[in-house]
């Protein structure tokens, strides 16, 4: 889909990947509508032209306000980028159920509810694109991130199902699966922290700007799935081909064991 002139609603746009998406879509001529809790940061990121809705996207009133304001200013919603998300590093066998529900509210139910609000307008236009920001953790379960992985698997499955449900309505869906991206995501988590070896891998992480460019290019070429950096496909493929071997390596990283063990 061409981005120039399109009305694009981005959640989690105040920092990280979402804020970088604002730049990537703006450069391509998008008309923007941004959501996050921090009004101050949204104003900085959005500049003069963007519609801004400051609020918690897990609340129905925030979603309804964001959609209403976008329609009022731009007359339509062409692209939705469900980007807001949060991590939880607690082991699944002892994680707080309340915290797990909180993560699901943001990572799964908020995108689903926003999709339910915008799809009627997209169906009426016979055009639209739904972009859901998942994770490589939504392609292969990471043991330090088991419950987070479940939310991203759910989001990936939703993206696939919607594509088939809406195939006669001119609406496309795309899931984005970033690997490690240099943002404050690791410190913004609900609870817990990643294994040391993973943190040491930060030097190999891509920037939020690289991730956002991959997302915008994915929209332009009507991609179903964007994995970024692209070499993460190798891990995903290896995991499918040799699940026991890769599970053992991931478990070793999780338990801080040496690769040779
Ligand atoms: N960074 C990575 O390594 C990585 C890898 C794979 C996938 N991802 C995914 O990429 C997406 C963006 O991650 P990121 O790295 O950019 O994270 P981030 O730097 O922590 O940014 C998260 C964004 O979401 C917003 N947000 C959080 N809770 C919200 C709520 N309840 N309502 C509205 N907005 C909320 C935050 O703004 P406010 O605080 O102002 O609300 C912020 O703009 C997430 O879905 C994440 O799961 C990240």
């Amino acid at each position: 889909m061409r981005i120039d002139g399109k009305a694009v609603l981005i959640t989690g746009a105040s920092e990280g990947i979402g804020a970088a998406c604002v730049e990537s879509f703006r450069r391509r001529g998008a008309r923007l509508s941004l959501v996050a809790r921090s009004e101050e940061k949204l104003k900085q990121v959005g500049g003069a032209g963007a519609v801004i809705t400051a609020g918690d996207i897990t609340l129905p009133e925030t979603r309804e306000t964001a959609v209403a304001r976008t329609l009022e200013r731009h007359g339509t919603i062409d692209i939705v980028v469900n980007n807001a998300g949060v991590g939880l590093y607690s082991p699944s066998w002892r994680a707080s159920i309340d915290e797990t529900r909180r993560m699901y509210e943001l990572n799964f139910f908020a995108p689903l509810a926003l999709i339910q609000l915008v799809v009627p307008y997209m169906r009426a236009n016979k055009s639209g694109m739904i972009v859901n920001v998942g994770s490589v953790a939504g392609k292969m379960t990471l043991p330090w991130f088991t419950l987070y992985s479940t939310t991203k698997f759910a989001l990936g499955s939703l993206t696939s199902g919607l594509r088939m449900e809406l195939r006669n309505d001119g609406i496309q869906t795309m899931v984005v699966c970033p690997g490690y991206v240099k943002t404050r995501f690791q410190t913004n988590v609900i609870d817990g922290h990643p294994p040391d070896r993973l943190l040491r891998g930060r030097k190999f992480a891509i920037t939020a700007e690289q991730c956002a460019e991959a997302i915008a290019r994915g929209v332009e070429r009507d991609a179903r799935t964007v994995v970024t950096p692209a070499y993460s496909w190798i891990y995903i493929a290896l995991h499918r081909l040799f699940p026991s071997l890769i599970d053992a390596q991931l478990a070793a990283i999780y338990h801080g064991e040496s690769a040779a063990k």
Side-chain angles (χ1 to χ4, degrees):
M1 174 182 278
R2 267 183 70 95
I3 292 173
D4 190 21
K6 296 292 191 306
V8 184
L9 196 165
I10 304 173
T11 73
S14 64
E15 64 174 299
I17 296 167
C21 281
V22 173
E23 271 318 301
S24 288
F25 282 81
R26 193 190 343 246
R27 261 201 314 278
R28 288 168 167 84
R31 296 177 293 147
L32 295 164
S33 177
L34 316 178
V35 189
R37 290 164 303 180
S38 166
E39 184 167 16
E40 202 185 318
K41 286 192 208 163
L42 278 183
K43 282 183 176 159
Q44 274 172 16
V45 171
V51 177
I52 279 170
T53 307
D56 183 339
I57 195 70
T58 67
L59 300 175
E61 54 266 34
T62 304
R63 297 188 293 265
E64 284 156 14
T65 304
V67 169
R69 284 184 184 166
T70 312
L71 292 170
E72 197 183 343
R73 173 82 75 87
H74 299 315
T76 184
I77 299 179
D78 300 299
I79 301 170
V80 170
V81 183
N82 278 309
N83 163 74
V86 73
L88 173 66
Y89 283 106
S90 314
S92 56
W93 53 273
R94 62 161 197 243
S96 149
I97 296 294
D98 284 346
E99 289 180 346
T100 308
R101 281 193 211 281
R102 248 177 71 204
M103 177 172 58
Y104 261 90
E105 286 296 335
L106 184 60
N107 293 8
F108 182 74
F109 288 108
L112 173 62
L114 191 57
I115 288 163
Q116 291 185 348
L117 282 181
V118 300
V119 161
Y121 298 100
M122 292 181 170
R123 289 187 74 212
N125 289 343
K126 282 268 169 213
S127 169
M129 183 147 201
I130 295 162
V131 178
N132 291 327
V133 180
S135 170
V136 164
K139 292 279 183 193
M140 51 195 282
T141 304
L142 305 177
W144 50 88
F145 241 176
T146 303
L147 292 171
Y148 171 78
S149 289
T150 69
T151 68
K152 297 300 188 179
F153 268 89
L155 194 62
S157 183
L158 173 67
T159 313
S160 302
L162 278 168
R163 183 181 306 117
M164 294 182 276
E165 290 174 9
L166 299 170
R167 68 178 271 170
N168 297 328
D169 294 294
I171 301 170
Q172 301 169 69
T173 71
M174 177 176 108
V175 68
V176 182
C177 304
Y180 201 162
V181 187
K182 280 180 202 143
T183 66
R184 294 197 317 124
F185 176 80
Q186 310 293 340
T187 43
N188 289 341
V189 293
I190 293 176
D191 196 18
H193 42 80
D196 289 345
R197 254 173 78 185
L198 194 77
L199 287 176
R200 288 199 293 274
R202 190 173 165 91
K203 55 181 175 288
F204 300 111
I206 59 170
T207 63
E209 290 70 28
Q210 287 172 312
C211 185
E213 273 302 295
I215 293 172
R217 283 197 301 268
V219 169
E220 287 173 328
R221 64 184 159 83
D222 298 331
R224 295 159 56 103
T225 304
V226 167
V227 174
T228 180
Y231 65 71
S232 304
W233 273 120
I234 297 170
Y235 302 126
I236 295 164
L238 284 175
H239 189 251
R240 289 198 182 147
L241 288 170
F242 311 108
S244 304
L245 186 70
I246 303 300
D247 277 2
Q249 292 205 339
L250 291 171
I253 294 173
Y254 176 59
H255 292 289
E257 297 157 2
S258 80
K261 202 166 171 186

